[in-house]
Amino acid sequence: MRDILPALAGWYRAGLPFGLATVVSTSRSAPRDPGAAMAVGPDDEVVGSVSGGCVEGAVFELAQEVLASGEARLATFGYSDEDAFAVGLTCGGEITVLVRPVTAALDPVFGEVAQAVEEDRPVTSATVTEGPAPLGATLAVWPDRVAGTLGATGLDAAVTADARGELAQGATGTRRYGPHGERREDAVGVFLHSFAPPPRMLVFGAIDYAASVARIGAFLGYRVTVCDARPVFATPKRFPEGVEVVVDWPHRYLRGTGTDERTVICVLTHDPKFDVPLLEEALRRPAAYIGAMGSRRTHDDRMKRLTESGLTEAELSRLRSPVGLDLGARTPEEVAVSVAAEIVALRWGGSGVPLTATAGVIHPPRKRDG
């Protein structure tokens, strides 16, 4: 959704209706997560995807019907063994898609949500997916205010509280309530789509590998900052457009920078005077990933110095060093792929083993999905 919002915001501002299809639930080996979106706009222009190609044709037709009727629809697509030509997911999973018409009259808060996402301000869009409430009704929830309604005051209040909790975690998913927000009932389904600011990637050491790591970090959706104490190397022209470049001692910069459980820290300095004080600071704060470049010898010396500095075994166990997965990488670009692969594997619990050597589903349920 974040990727296609600029196009949707343009249609919305121009007063052009569009049909918006959003994946609101999945099961088994579904190809896309909840929140994946596709839209059909003026002149049947299509942006986005809900399944990577499996059911887009059917969703396109459904979006056209929704635009013509002005009424939202909920549709489920799964694999069909009985009819090989049936519209379904060849991967064997199942997705449920909410398709709704969007105009200023039908969704007066869409423009505000799109603007908040564009400005990296946190917001959750809550949409009714089923039950005795207006299908497709939307409530926008910010940390300090709300806009729109789901049709009942009690339901709005309950969803607002939950939406702020999900927003704090950057989580997206469906919650269930009674018609007036009753907690122990499940008559009404509400899809909570959280748009938290992009997670941060902090790259320390403005060496040749840093530009490639920064580029792939931005590609993965991170807000990337490169920091180095040497101004001759820490220059914006050496890095991709949009990457922040800071001249400062790494440990001092990190000490004054907020991190959270989604932050990625890549230490590429492989110089003890930089990376030891930096890792002392990094390993004592929240982060999703902390990786450090260097040879086995450099790693052993670094661990000795960090142990002597007072870091505990639990803190040291968070360090991924030498950085990256064993891909046989040589060039800066290949090393960046290796680092990115380790970040993705750690995030989703992947093994890093070739899929040809594994069995079972390719996309197992996430931890929070059970």
Side-chain angles (χ1 to χ4, degrees):
M1 176 69 86
R2 188 184 293 272
D3 292 338
I4 68 174
L5 266 176
L8 305 190
W11 293 340
Y12 187 85
R13 286 193 296 267
L16 301 172
F18 57 90
L20 177 59
T22 306
V23 176
V24 295
S25 68
T26 65
S27 67
R28 301 191 301 277
S29 187
R32 303 294 301 274
D33 284 332
M38 166 183 157
V40 178
D43 299 322
D44 290 337
E45 181 181 353
V46 176
V47 294
S49 171
V50 292
S51 73
C54 299
V55 301
E56 267 68 9
V59 173
F60 173 80
E61 294 179 0
L62 188 55
Q64 289 181 313
E65 295 173 10
V66 162
L67 280 172
S69 67
E71 297 180 354
R73 297 267 298 276
L74 192 70
T76 297
F77 300 93
Y79 181 74
S80 173
D81 286 316
E82 299 176 357
D83 184 356
F85 294 98
V87 174
L89 300 177
T90 56
C91 63
E94 185 176 276
I95 63 171
T96 298
V97 180
L98 175 69
V99 187
R100 63 188 182 95
V102 179
T103 65
L106 293 171
D107 188 350
V109 301
F110 183 88
E112 291 184 76
V113 171
Q115 184 176 355
V117 175
E118 181 181 0
E119 296 173 355
D120 286 339
R121 291 186 287 112
V123 62
T124 294
S125 176
T127 307
V128 174
T129 60
E130 58 182 312
L135 185 64
T138 300
L139 176 74
V141 181
W142 288 265
D144 57 350
R145 68 184 183 95
V146 299
T149 180
L150 302 180
T153 302
L155 182 59
D156 288 348
V159 169
T160 295
D162 288 344
R164 285 178 174 150
E166 297 289 87
L167 186 57
Q169 301 179 51
T172 287
T174 297
R175 292 289 189 100
R176 308 196 70 84
Y177 308 87
H180 299 284
E182 297 89 342
R183 293 287 184 179
R184 296 187 179 183
E185 298 185 25
D186 61 0
V188 179
V190 179
F191 181 63
L192 304 180
H193 194 171
S194 297
F195 295 95
R200 298 200 65 181
M201 172 182 279
L202 306 177
V203 181
F204 294 96
I207 62 174
D208 50 355
Y209 292 94
S212 295
V213 172
R215 184 174 293 107
I216 203 166
F219 176 76
L220 291 176
Y222 289 94
R223 174 190 161 200
V224 183
T225 298
V226 176
C227 175
D228 197 300
R230 302 164 297 181
V232 67
F233 295 113
T235 61
K237 67 181 180 180
R238 298 185 64 233
F239 297 94
E241 184 179 356
V243 171
E244 180 186 28
V245 180
V246 174
V247 179
D248 199 351
W249 277 82
H251 71 282
R252 184 168 60 192
Y253 174 76
L254 183 58
R255 191 173 296 152
T257 301
T259 64
D260 59 27
E261 287 73 14
R262 302 184 302 153
T263 303
V264 165
I265 299 174
C266 297
V267 179
L268 310 182
T269 50
H270 55 80
D271 182 333
K273 71 174 177 290
F274 291 123
D275 60 18
V276 170
L278 171 60
L279 287 169
E280 284 185 55
E281 179 68 30
L283 293 169
R284 290 184 170 125
R285 59 167 54 225
Y289 175 91
I290 303 171
M293 177 177 281
S295 66
R296 302 285 183 189
R297 180 177 178 180
T298 298
H299 169 73
D300 292 341
D301 177 69
R302 180 190 291 136
M303 292 296 285
K304 179 176 179 293
R305 292 170 183 263
L306 290 171
T307 300
E308 291 172 350
S309 73
L311 286 170
T312 66
E313 287 188 18
E315 291 167 335
L316 291 171
S317 69
R318 302 176 60 205
L319 179 61
R320 316 290 289 193
S321 173
V323 70
L325 296 186
D326 180 14
L327 305 182
R330 294 290 189 274
T331 68
E333 293 78 13
E334 291 172 344
V335 169
V337 171
S338 168
V339 173
E342 185 173 45
I343 291 170
V344 172
L346 188 63
R347 178 184 180 188
W348 296 109
S351 65
V353 174
L355 289 173
T356 54
T358 65
V361 298
I362 295 176
H363 304 290
R366 295 175 294 177
K367 291 180 180 179
R368 67 174 287 107
D369 294 335

